Amino acid sequence: MCTGSDSGLGSDSKSNPDSNGWSRARGAVLKSLVLVGGALLLRRLTKSTTRWDHARIVAESLNGEKFSKEQAVRDPDNYFNFRWLSCPAADMVDGSKVLYFEQAFWRTPHKPFRQRFFMVKPCAKELKCDVEVSTYAIRDAEEYKNFCDRPRDQRPQPEEVIGDIAEHLTTIHLKRCERGKRCLYEGSTPADGFPNSWQNGATYCTSELAVLKNNEIHAWDRGFDDDGNQVWGVKGGPYEFKPAPSSSFNDVLNPLSFASQPLGKRIEGSFVLQE
């Protein structure tokens, strides 16, 4: 029986070369597929974000309707509930995004007191930043009131928008935020700011901007005199604009109480009345 067993094993061994060869070939094919699939997946996961991707993310975050309501409720002595509204207006030849922006008191959203164009594009390669956000005056601001609330065929068209971009006001250079921070991007104007003589003896202004998750925006504008003293703008920190809930347009019917300080006095400290 031992011989029979040996004979049987010998007979099987003659058929093994083909079987083993097929197994090895099949294993090699499967291994190759796994390696190729893994390489493709790794490439997709590690694909770097381009300069224009960063600019797109920032532009999309600046868009939309946002309010500083929570901040105004938390600190009514120093902050108003403002409405921030921005939407795409045109694309420049170089790919820069032009956004229309307006700001109004929450009670009177149809009467903006501030109107601007944002121009968003990647930072130049020689600069140590990711996205450049510049603000420009509008040649005929009255024509653009409530631009984002109007049907598209009742707005100035992109070619008109480009022609109405007027004086350059400020430029902010944004960088990606370090890990662990709440923000996605943050940055500011240069330390010496940009010329501004709107009120109270100001000679220059500075701006800080942070883009957070969920399209939340923090903005802080201040004016300074020649001695570096702050003469307008809030002092406690940036305005915090959070995206409006779907019912926000009806929200203006629900008044907030700001009885702790006269409106006129509080306006002097507001960052928005700086034109």
Side-chain angles (χ1 to χ4, degrees):
M1 290 193 52
C2 290
T3 303
S5 296
D6 289 343
S7 175
L9 289 171
S11 174
D12 289 343
S13 65
K14 292 179 181 179
S15 62
N16 270 349
D18 290 342
S19 175
N20 290 340
W22 166 246
S23 296
R24 285 194 296 270
R26 183 174 60 182
V29 170
L30 289 174
K31 185 176 181 180
S32 298
L33 290 174
V34 169
L35 290 173
V36 170
L40 291 173
L41 178 61
L42 182 62
R43 183 179 178 183
R44 178 173 295 181
L45 292 175
T46 59
K47 184 180 178 182
S48 61
T49 305
T50 68
R51 296 164 59 245
W52 285 103
D53 287 334
H54 290 301
R56 175 184 54 78
I57 292 169
V58 170
E60 290 176 353
S61 298
L62 292 173
N63 277 334
E65 184 184 38
K66 313 173 197 294
F67 288 90
S68 56
K69 177 180 178 179
E70 291 184 18
Q71 196 175 28
V73 170
R74 190 170 65 245
D75 187 2
D77 289 344
N78 295 297
Y79 296 91
F80 293 103
N81 181 12
F82 289 129
R83 183 203 196 205
W84 165 302
L85 186 63
S86 182
C87 61
D91 289 340
M92 302 297 285
V93 174
D94 67 355
S96 301
K97 300 293 183 183
V98 179
L99 314 177
Y100 170 76
F101 163 75
E102 67 182 24
Q103 207 163 42
F105 289 97
W106 69 281
R107 294 178 184 273
T108 54
H110 59 290
K111 294 180 179 180
F113 55 79
R114 178 187 239 193
Q115 297 170 264
R116 292 284 181 264
F117 285 133
F118 289 144
M119 190 177 294
V120 185
K121 63 181 180 181
C123 284
K125 291 182 178 180
E126 63 270 16
L127 297 177
K128 295 180 179 180
C129 58
D130 295 300
V131 182
E132 179 179 294
V133 179
S134 296
T135 60
Y136 291 83
I138 300 173
R139 198 173 305 282
D140 185 0
E142 189 68 25
E143 184 182 350
Y144 284 83
K145 279 188 176 180
N146 312 127
F147 177 92
C148 301
D149 292 321
R150 291 187 244 164
R152 291 184 182 275
D153 60 355
Q154 295 179 24
R155 304 174 181 175
Q157 296 306 298
E159 58 274 13
E160 298 175 76
V161 169
I162 293 173
D164 286 333
I165 297 174
E167 177 191 2
H168 170 259
L169 300 173
T170 63
T171 293
I172 296 174
H173 292 135
L174 299 177
K175 287 184 178 181
R176 282 168 287 181
C177 295
E178 297 176 358
R179 288 193 177 187
K181 282 191 157 186
R182 288 183 59 212
C183 59
L184 300 175
Y185 300 87
E186 63 180 351
S188 65
T189 54
D192 56 353
F194 288 86
N196 183 290
S197 56
W198 176 69
Q199 71 165 5
N200 296 346
T203 56
Y204 69 97
C205 68
T206 62
S207 295
E208 296 180 23
L209 182 68
V211 175
L212 284 73
K213 294 179 180 178
N214 302 318
N215 297 329
E216 182 177 340
I217 297 293
H218 291 186
W220 194 6
D221 295 347
R222 292 172 288 172
F224 298 87
D225 62 20
D226 281 332
D227 296 323
N229 300 308
Q230 183 177 339
V231 293
W232 56 251
V234 291
K235 296 184 178 180
Y239 263 84
E240 301 171 1
F241 293 96
K242 298 186 178 182
S246 58
S247 60
S248 64
F249 284 102
N250 296 324
D251 214 21
V252 295
L253 301 177
N254 300 320
L256 288 172
S257 175
F258 299 114
S260 57
Q261 196 173 9
L263 180 64
K265 185 174 181 180
R266 290 176 53 231
I267 285 178
E268 293 178 6
S270 172
F271 90 105
V272 294
L273 300 177
Q274 54 178 276
E275 317 307 339

